[in-house]
């Protein structure tokens, strides 16, 4: 809905500007905040220069160059995060072997109020600094040459123009670097006006779901200005001037940054790092007097676990206790309850005190085994770089995928397709051969371990509730769950006559188990719905097929890998189970998300080719099985990287619904059916690929047919 509103707003602005400037000849309207590339004119040309700080370089010693852009009046370029969809200033270098170039150092941008959004711009003559390190192997009296291409987009309220500068710089090499005195003032001013990197500042950030918290600890005695703004370098965060907020908590400045999830072009990929600069009209750093402080790129840190209030914690404990009790109703545990207690009675010679002692020893075994299991989980949590919140983990594709498989596989098991944890039924019999309290203790340990596989669906939600708790509450919750599992044994050991009141194991237990399976399958369906957002929509069919193969693997295991089958049948069954499960998990992971497909039209193909930009067209449909397999197999991260490196624009011609234009185009290539994939390279005939694609074929095709020299300005 927001995307439609963005487009509708942009369209209204377009109409308004068109009416106001109808007298101008073929204007390119950029809306001032969502620019569209237009054709450059004499009036809109930026004067660009690459200026070295040195007149001679020293082998291996870094030096600085400056990209100076003198914009025409009324025009502006953009920061790394433009605030919209405009293209920032970038440089691509071609350096000699052994040389390196540091990141582009942006000056402090201005906040620009556009019709659709606020942007971060540079007006006048901004200076961008870059540190270059020449090879240490250079010889004095030789030449150090570097080449590259700087590109940027400039806009005014009506137009946006793509501009670039081809860089070719040759500097003499001497035993010691020589500063160019004529450029000293330029570089001194650029450093003075740019963001400072003063010592004593500390930055950390935390994932907070729909927001990101940036915590800034300034040097002691620094006062937070009322007009402070954080300008993010990453596009998925909004600045304070764009609606985020800032507050002071103790000695920290806390920036609660809203996430930007989409713009008029679609969804914005969410990252895990924060970078940018703090900006104020007042001096931020008391020592240097800088009005802007650089926030270096850093990954999210895990927020400390927040304790629950007693009112909120009690329901969690109640849920954990009930979860532990429910474990005793599992078919692999309940039938042996009576056997365990009768074993205690027989060992104790009907002495109620000794029976109770065996019950307590058994319960302690359960408690300690639960503490060990929860301790392992706690250590993994504390040493993990991932977020610890239940909601945060659902932002991770693999975590959601694991939940889908957990609930789905155990739902199939509880429905009776196959059995997990059947060995637990032998625990009661083994108690007969154990003597003393030690035997009862280890029986409790063994019972917990043996019960875990068939009770994993119950443990999943409990772990989800407890995983975010601080240390004391975390272990308290799992202790209560262990008490829930041990409670029946304690009660029955204290009052052995209660065994006669237990319902007899029978068909009702199988019905209970199968009824619970529907809850688990429903949970799997919910998490599958969440998982859909992590994969390409047009290949969800492969994910569904993968789950079918996993169900087949479970059926094979339950049918042919059971103890009553022959050894040969069990081995074949296990092999087939692994084979089908591996195939299912592979399909269910979904494709790589990398290529951003544009909608195909022949006019769009022709436009790109006229601009010397190569194009790749996928003629496809949702009902085409081979097309879906190609999407899963062919476009690996390496292939996606080649698309970006060579500037290939991927277009998708979708004929899921009848489309005579697509049919006619497919026929032009001598094909009667899809899939059809075509690579267009400027100056060459279209190349039609085989129907079945592989990563090796795609890599070989791109490297052979699309030279780097044909790279366009737009990448997928």
């Amino acid at each position: 809905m927001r995307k439609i509103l963005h487009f509708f707003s942009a369209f209204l602005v377009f109409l308004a500007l068109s009416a106001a400037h109808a007298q101008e000849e073929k204007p390119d309207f950029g809306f001032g905040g969502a620019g569209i590339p237009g054709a450059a004119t004499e009036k809109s040309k930026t004067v660009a220069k690459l200026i070295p700080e040195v007149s001679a370089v020293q082998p291996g010693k870094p030096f600085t160059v400056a990209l100076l852009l003198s914009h025409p009046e009324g025009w502006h370029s953009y920061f790394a995060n433009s605030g919209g969809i405009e293209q920032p200033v970038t440089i691509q270098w071609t350096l000699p072997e052994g040389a390196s170039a540091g990141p582009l150092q942006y000056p402090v941008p201005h906040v620009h109020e556009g019709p659709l959004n606020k942007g971060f711009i540079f007006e006048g003559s901004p200076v961008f600094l870059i540190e270059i390190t020449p090879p240490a192997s250079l010889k004095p009296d030789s030449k150090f040459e570097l080449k590259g291409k700087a590109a940027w987009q400039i806009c005014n309220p009506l137009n946006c123009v793509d501009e670039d500068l081809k860089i070719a710089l040759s500097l003499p090499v001497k035993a010691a670097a020589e500063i160019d005195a004529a450029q000293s003032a330029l570089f001194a001013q650029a450093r003075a006006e740019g963001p400072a990197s003063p010592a004593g500042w500390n930055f950390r950030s935390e994932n907070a779901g729909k927001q990101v918290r940036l915590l800034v600890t300034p040097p002691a005695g620094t006062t937070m200005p009322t007009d402070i703004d954080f300008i993010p370098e990453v596009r998925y965060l909004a600045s304070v001037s764009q609606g985020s907020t800032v507050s002071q908590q103790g000695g920290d400045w806390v920036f609660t940054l809203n996430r930007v999830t989409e713009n008029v072009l679609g969804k914005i990929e969410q990252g895990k790092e924060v970078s940018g600069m703090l900006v104020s009209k007042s001096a931020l750093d008391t020592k240097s007097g800088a009005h802007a402080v650089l926030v270096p790129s850093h990954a999210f840190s895990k927020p400390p676990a927040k304790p629950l209030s007693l009112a909120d914690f009690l329901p969690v404990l109640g849920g954990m206790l009930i979860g532990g009790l429910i474990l005793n109703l599992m078919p692999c545990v309940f039938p042996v309850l009576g056997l365990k207690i009768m074993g205690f009675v027989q060992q104790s010679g009907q002495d109620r005190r000794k029976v109770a002692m065996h019950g307590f020893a058994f319960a302690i075994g359960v408690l300690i085994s639960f503490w060990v299991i929860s301790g392992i989980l706690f250590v993994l949590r504390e040493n993990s770089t991932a977020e610890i919140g239940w909601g945060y983990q659902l932002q991770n594709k693999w975590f959601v995928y694991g939940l889908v498989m957990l609930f789905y596989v155990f739902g199939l098991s509880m429905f009776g397709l196959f059995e997990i944890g059947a060995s637990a039924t032998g625990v009661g019999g083994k108690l007969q051969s154990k003597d003393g309290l030690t035997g009862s203790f280890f029986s409790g340990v063994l019972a917990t371990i043996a019960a875990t596989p068939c009770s994993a669906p119950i443990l999943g939600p409990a772990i989800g509730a407890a995983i975010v708790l601080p240390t004391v509450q975390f272990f308290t919750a799992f202790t209560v769950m262990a008490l829930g599992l041990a409670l029946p044994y304690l009660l029955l050991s204290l009052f052995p006559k209660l065994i006669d009141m237990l319902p007899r194991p029978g068909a009702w237990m199988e019905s209970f188990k199968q009824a619970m399976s529907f809850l688990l399958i429903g949970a799997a369906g919910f998490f599958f719905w969440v998982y859909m957002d992590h994969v390409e929509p047009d290949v969800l069919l492969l994910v569904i097929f993968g789950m079918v193969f996993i169900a087949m693997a479970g059926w094979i295991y339950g049918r042919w890998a059971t103890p009553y089958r022959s050894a040969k049948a069990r081995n074949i069954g296990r092999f087939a189970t692994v084979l089908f499960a591996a195939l299912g998990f592979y399909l269910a992971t979904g494709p790589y998300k990398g290529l951003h497909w544009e909608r195909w039209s022949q006019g769009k193909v022709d436009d790109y080719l006229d601009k010397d930009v190569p194009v790749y067209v996928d003629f496809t449909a949702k009902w085409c099985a081979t097309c879906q397999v190609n999407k899963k197999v062919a476009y690996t991260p390496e292939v996606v990287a080649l698309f970006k490196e060579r500037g290939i624009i991927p277009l998708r011609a979708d004929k899921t619904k009848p489309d005579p234009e697509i049919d006619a185009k497919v026929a032009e290539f001598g094909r009667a059916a899809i899939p059809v994939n075509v690579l267009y390279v400027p100056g060459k005939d279209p190349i039609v690929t085989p129907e079945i694609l592989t990563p090796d074929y795609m890599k070989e095709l791109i490297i052979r047919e699309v030279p780097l020299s044909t790279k366009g300005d737009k990448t997928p």
Side-chain angles (χ1 to χ4, degrees):
M1 185 67 181
R2 282 181 292 176
K3 189 184 296 185
I4 296 175
L5 292 175
H6 278 309
F7 176 79
F8 186 65
S9 300
F11 184 67
L12 290 178
V13 177
F14 175 82
L15 292 179
L17 293 177
S18 298
H21 299 274
Q23 70 276 14
E24 295 188 15
E25 183 179 358
K26 297 182 181 180
D28 284 321
F29 296 99
F31 311 120
I36 300 174
T41 64
E42 288 295 329
K43 294 182 180 180
S44 66
K45 190 65 176 177
T46 295
V47 177
K49 298 178 181 179
L50 185 72
I51 304 170
E53 189 176 14
V54 297
S55 56
V57 303
Q58 177 181 336
K61 183 178 181 179
F63 66 95
T64 305
V65 296
L67 175 65
L68 172 63
L69 302 181
S70 297
H71 298 317
E73 186 177 355
W75 294 77
H76 53 258
S77 56
Y78 290 91
F79 183 52
N81 170 23
S82 66
I85 62 173
E86 300 83 4
Q87 298 304 305
V89 180
T90 59
I91 299 183
Q92 292 182 339
W93 296 99
T94 302
L95 299 172
E97 185 176 355
S100 63
L104 190 68
Q105 300 172 32
Y106 289 89
V108 179
H110 303 290
V111 179
H112 172 69
E113 189 75 44
L116 296 182
N117 55 265
K118 292 183 178 180
F120 307 115
I121 68 169
F122 303 111
E123 298 174 309
S125 300
V127 178
F128 306 82
L129 302 180
I130 312 97
E131 186 178 88
I132 305 293
T133 303
S137 58
L138 287 176
K139 303 297 182 182
D141 299 326
S142 63
K143 291 287 186 179
F144 174 61
E145 297 182 350
L146 65 159
K147 297 180 181 179
K149 180 181 178 182
W152 60 91
Q153 189 178 76
I154 60 171
C155 296
N156 67 11
L158 301 179
N159 301 302
C160 282
V161 178
D162 291 333
E163 297 184 327
D164 59 62
L165 171 69
K166 290 185 178 180
I167 297 168
L169 190 63
S170 179
L171 293 170
V173 180
K174 294 188 177 182
E178 297 178 357
I179 299 295
D180 188 348
Q183 307 301 337
S184 296
L186 172 71
F187 282 87
Q189 183 177 357
R191 292 187 175 105
E193 296 179 353
S197 301
W201 291 75
N202 180 266
F203 306 96
R204 63 191 189 279
S205 56
E206 301 170 352
N207 187 350
K210 294 182 179 180
Q211 297 171 319
V212 170
R213 281 164 44 92
L214 171 65
L215 294 95
V216 179
T217 305
T222 305
T223 303
M224 184 176 73
T226 57
D227 66 340
I228 192 168
D229 194 3
F230 171 68
I231 299 179
E233 192 171 342
V234 290
R235 288 182 180 247
Y236 70 90
L237 294 177
S239 68
V240 175
S241 56
Q242 292 173 314
S244 296
T245 60
V246 60
S247 61
Q248 193 160 5
Q249 297 179 7
D252 290 339
W253 303 350
V254 181
F255 295 80
T256 304
L257 307 174
N258 296 325
R259 288 182 180 269
V260 181
T261 57
E262 61 182 358
N263 56 28
V264 294
L265 296 182
K267 291 185 177 180
I268 296 176
E269 184 176 354
Q270 301 296 296
K272 296 182 179 180
E273 295 185 347
V274 176
S275 60
M277 58 182 74
L278 303 177
V279 179
S280 171
K281 293 180 181 178
S282 306
L284 284 175
D285 187 68
T286 54
K287 291 184 178 180
S288 65
H291 291 256
V293 173
L294 189 68
V295 179
S297 178
H298 61 279
F300 294 153
S301 59
K302 292 192 302 182
K306 295 182 179 179
L308 295 178
S309 65
L310 182 61
D312 292 331
F313 188 45
L314 287 177
V316 174
L317 294 181
M320 300 292 277
L321 180 66
I322 293 172
L325 287 169
I326 290 177
L327 299 184
N328 291 290
L329 296 178
M330 294 295 100
C332 59
V333 178
F334 184 81
V336 297
L337 269 174
L339 290 175
K340 288 181 173 67
I341 304 305
M342 291 309 298
F344 298 161
V345 173
Q346 291 178 15
Q347 291 183 56
S348 305
Q350 305 296 330
D351 186 331
R352 290 189 60 181
R353 180 177 176 277
K354 291 183 178 180
V355 173
M357 291 297 293
H358 280 282
F360 279 112
F362 183 89
I364 292 174
V366 172
L367 281 169
I368 291 179
S369 58
F370 255 86
W371 289 337
V372 170
I373 294 173
S374 58
I376 293 172
L377 179 64
F378 183 80
V379 170
L380 292 175
R381 182 189 89 169
E382 292 302 300
N383 290 278
S384 171
T385 57
E387 299 84 0
I388 63 173
W390 182 250
Y392 303 157
Q393 291 185 2
L394 293 180
Q395 298 171 3
N396 184 285
K397 167 184 174 179
W398 298 110
F399 183 79
V400 178
Y401 172 67
L403 288 178
V404 173
M405 291 298 107
L406 173 71
F407 286 103
Y408 178 63
V409 170
F410 281 104
L412 295 176
S413 172
M414 296 182 72
F415 194 69
L417 198 65
F418 60 96
E419 295 291 338
I420 297 179
S423 61
T425 58
V427 174
K430 293 179 180 179
L431 291 176
Q432 306 293 336
S433 60
K434 293 182 180 294
D435 296 321
L437 297 178
T438 302
S440 297
F441 170 82
F442 283 107
S443 295
V445 175
L446 183 59
T448 302
I449 296 173
T452 299
C454 67
S455 59
I458 306 300
L459 292 174
I463 292 174
I467 193 69
V468 299
L469 298 176
T471 305
V472 174
Q473 291 185 338
F474 176 90
F475 283 104
T476 301
F478 278 97
T479 299
V480 169
M481 190 175 199
L483 290 174
L485 175 61
L487 187 59
Y489 304 103
L490 286 172
L491 291 176
L492 292 174
S493 62
L494 291 172
F495 308 101
K497 290 185 178 181
L498 292 177
I499 295 176
D500 296 333
M501 301 177 60
L502 293 176
R504 294 293 178 261
W508 70 270
M509 298 188 60
E510 187 65 24
S511 299
F512 175 79
K513 182 184 74 169
Q514 292 184 8
M516 288 193 65
S517 71
F518 290 105
L519 298 177
L520 296 174
I521 295 297
F526 169 78
F527 287 112
F528 180 79
W529 175 67
V530 177
Y531 182 64
M532 288 169 59
D533 196 49
H534 294 274
V535 296
E536 296 289 355
D538 55 0
V539 293
L540 283 175
L541 182 62
L542 289 178
V543 180
I544 295 172
F545 282 163
M547 299 184 73
V548 171
F549 277 109
I550 291 171
M552 291 175 65
W555 175 71
I556 292 171
Y557 179 81
R559 185 81 174 173
W560 282 283
T562 51
Y564 64 83
R565 293 284 186 180
S566 67
K568 181 178 180 181
R570 291 198 301 270
N571 290 333
I572 294 175
R574 290 165 183 158
F575 174 78
T577 298
V578 173
L579 181 65
F580 276 85
L583 180 60
F585 281 114
Y586 172 71
L587 292 176
T589 55
Y592 299 103
K593 295 188 73 172
L595 290 178
H596 300 285
W597 299 89
E598 298 182 16
R599 187 173 181 178
W600 171 86
S601 71
Q602 187 56 44
K604 187 176 290 187
V605 173
D606 295 338
D607 288 343
Y608 278 124
L609 292 178
D610 288 343
K611 297 176 183 177
D612 289 331
V613 177
V615 177
Y616 178 83
V617 181
D618 176 24
F619 294 90
T620 184
K622 289 183 178 179
W623 40 258
C624 170
T626 306
C627 301
Q628 310 312 322
V629 173
N630 281 342
K631 292 179 181 65
K632 169 68 182 180
V633 173
Y635 307 120
T636 62
E638 294 81 6
V639 173
V640 171
L642 279 175
F643 266 79
K644 294 183 177 181
E645 179 186 82
R646 308 291 166 122
I648 304 171
I649 303 298
L651 303 181
R652 175 163 291 165
D654 191 341
K655 57 170 292 177
T656 300
K657 297 180 180 179
D659 191 320
E661 186 178 358
I662 294 178
D663 291 336
K665 198 65 188 177
V666 169
E668 283 186 23
F669 297 115
R671 297 282 183 87
I674 54 176
V676 176
N677 295 277
V678 184
L679 176 64
Y680 294 86
V681 181
K684 298 183 181 180
D685 293 331
I687 302 167
V688 182
T689 72
E691 292 185 356
I692 306 297
L693 300 177
T694 66
D696 288 341
Y697 170 81
M698 292 298 299
K699 288 187 285 188
E700 180 184 350
L701 173 69
I702 294 172
I703 292 172
R704 182 183 70 243
E705 300 293 343
V706 188
L708 285 169
S709 59
T710 65
K711 181 177 181 180
D713 291 335
K714 186 176 180 181
T715 55

